[in-house]
Amino acid sequence: VGLYGVVLEAGILLSFTIFFGSFASPMMAVAFSIGLFLIGHWLDSLKYFAEKSDSVSFQYFAKVIQSVLPNLEKMNWRSLFVYSDAIPVKSVMMTSGYSVAWCVFLITVSAMIMRGRDLG
């Protein structure tokens, strides 16, 4: 199951890379994808800092970022696997749906962008 979480995460990252590649240069697409990987794993920390912050604008910014970008920590079951903790089936199913929804959305948007682009 730990490996399955890695595959789900890789699917989202690959979909984002294809999405970024549909309108940006290859180097920028890779840079955006690496940034998304880092931000996606830090969203739980961002939520924690936003809850502790007194700044209303920072709390609003954190909520917007959390709702726009995928939370890749949902698929991080590696530590549970190492400690032999049980991973609930409901969590696996919900995360699978979350991952597939992101992939379908991003591939659809990428296809629409590429359709409108003149490649000739």
Side-chain angles (χ1 to χ4, degrees), residues 5 23 27 32 38 51 56 72 98 106 115:
F23 60 85
M27 196 64 165
F32 293 155
L38 295 173
E51 290 172 354
V56 176
L72 299 178
Y98 179 78
L106 289 168
R115 184 177 303 158

Side-chain angles (χ1 to χ4, degrees), residues 44-55:
D44 289 339
S45 299
L46 180 66
K47 181 180 178 183
Y48 172 78
F49 289 126
E51 290 172 354
K52 300 295 180 186
S53 175
D54 294 332
S55 173

Side-chain angles (χ1 to χ4, degrees), residues 25-118:
S25 69
M27 196 64 165
M28 293 302 293
V30 170
F32 293 155
S33 298
I34 291 171
L36 184 82
F37 171 79
L38 295 173
I39 293 170
H41 280 286
W42 291 336
L43 281 179
D44 289 339
S45 299
L46 180 66
K47 181 180 178 183
Y48 172 78
F49 289 126
E51 290 172 354
K52 300 295 180 186
S53 175
D54 294 332
S55 173
V56 176
S57 60
F58 179 67
Q59 291 174 353
Y60 178 74
F61 172 75
K63 285 187 189 266
V64 168
I65 294 296
Q66 289 173 13
S67 61
V68 171
L69 297 177
N71 187 352
L72 299 178
E73 276 299 308
K74 288 183 177 186
M75 293 146 232
N76 189 4
W77 298 315
R78 292 179 288 266
S79 62
L80 296 175
F81 178 73
V82 169
Y83 296 117
S84 298
D85 290 341
I87 301 169
V89 174
K90 182 179 180 182
S91 173
V92 173
M93 298 306 286
M94 293 292 287
T95 304
S96 296
Y98 179 78
S99 178
V100 168
W102 268 105
C103 290
V104 167
F105 171 72
L106 289 168
I107 297 297
T108 303
V109 172
S110 299
M112 291 188 319
I113 291 171
M114 291 300 287
R115 184 177 303 158
R117 196 170 173 186
D118 182 24

